[in-house]
Amino acid sequence: MSDPNQEIVFRPIGVVHSPHKESAGTPIQPVAAQDVPATVEIFPEFAAGLKDLDGFSHIHLLCHFHKSGAFKLEVTPFLDNELRGVFATRAPSRPNGIGLSIVRLERIEGTVLHVLDADFLDGTPVLDIKPFVPDFDRRENVRCGWLEGKLGRLDQVRDDGRFR
């Protein structure tokens, strides 16, 4: 059995350059950031890992929420007024501060990925990239818990700075 106190260290592979300079006002999910452009600069030592990525229309970006405040195990999420367990939300203040977004990959120029639907802050460290594959990522009979009935307002809700 592994040590539950073992430290895990991640090294960024790149950085996001986006129009979102501060958390307040930033869309809270990629679908609410429709057509918002950004670039993902991949550091030169990871350039070879981009081979064949240009054949995919969408990618998963795993990033570090570098601007979120200290984590709380219970939070009031953006789409609700009730205190919820952090693992039942997509709040950025998490024990490990890892964010996941599916963005559209427009093109790749050298080590720069041009993406759309960007909901990350400018300067966000990128931890990993994975191709979006519908046959891997699609699920049937999905339940959305407390979010049922609230998703219709997603495009109206923006980050209000509550997780700084």
Side-chain angles (χ1 to χ4, degrees), residues 6 15 18 30-31 39 52 62 108 113 115 118 137 139 150:
Q6 176 184 0
V15 64
S18 86
V31 296
T39 58
D52 303 316
L62 289 104
I108 301 174
L113 284 63
V115 300
D137 299 315
R139 298 291 183 264
K150 297 178 189 280

Side-chain angles (χ1 to χ4, degrees), residues 119-140:
D119 67 334
F120 282 112
L121 290 177
D122 188 55
T124 297
V126 177
L127 301 176
D128 202 357
I129 300 167
K130 296 178 186 247
F132 174 84
V133 180
D135 287 349
F136 296 170
D137 299 315
R138 178 181 44 240
R139 298 291 183 264
E140 304 295 328

Side-chain angles (χ1 to χ4, degrees), residues 21-154:
K21 304 300 181 197
E22 56 186 61
S23 61
T26 298
I28 62 169
Q29 292 296 322
V31 296
Q34 193 72 35
D35 297 324
V36 173
T39 58
V40 179
E41 173 190 353
I42 301 303
F43 302 142
E45 61 268 33
F46 300 104
L50 296 174
K51 183 177 186 251
D52 303 316
L53 187 63
D54 60 350
F56 293 89
S57 63
H58 293 73
I59 56 174
H60 291 276
L61 285 181
L62 289 104
C63 296
H64 172 63
F65 287 133
H66 68 300
K67 296 283 187 172
S68 67
F71 80 89
K72 296 176 186 161
L73 292 176
E74 293 183 84
V75 299
T76 302
F78 293 120
L79 289 170
D80 202 21
N81 294 320
E82 196 172 317
L83 206 57
R84 307 279 181 183
V86 72
F87 301 129
T89 76
R90 293 206 172 184
S93 294
R94 317 185 67 75
N96 287 311
I98 297 172
L100 167 68
S101 286
I102 297 172
V103 297
R104 285 185 286 157
L105 179 59
E106 198 174 32
R107 69 184 183 283
I108 301 174
E109 294 177 343
T111 58
V112 176
L113 284 63
H114 294 264
V115 300
L116 295 170
D117 309 336
D119 67 334
F120 282 112
L121 290 177
D122 188 55
T124 297
V126 177
L127 301 176
D128 202 357
I129 300 167
K130 296 178 186 247
F132 174 84
V133 180
D135 287 349
F136 296 170
D137 299 315
R138 178 181 44 240
R139 298 291 183 264
E140 304 295 328
N141 303 315
V142 175
R143 294 179 302 139
C144 293
W146 66 268
L147 280 165
E148 295 286 346
K150 297 178 189 280
L151 298 175
R153 344 178 278 136
L154 188 59

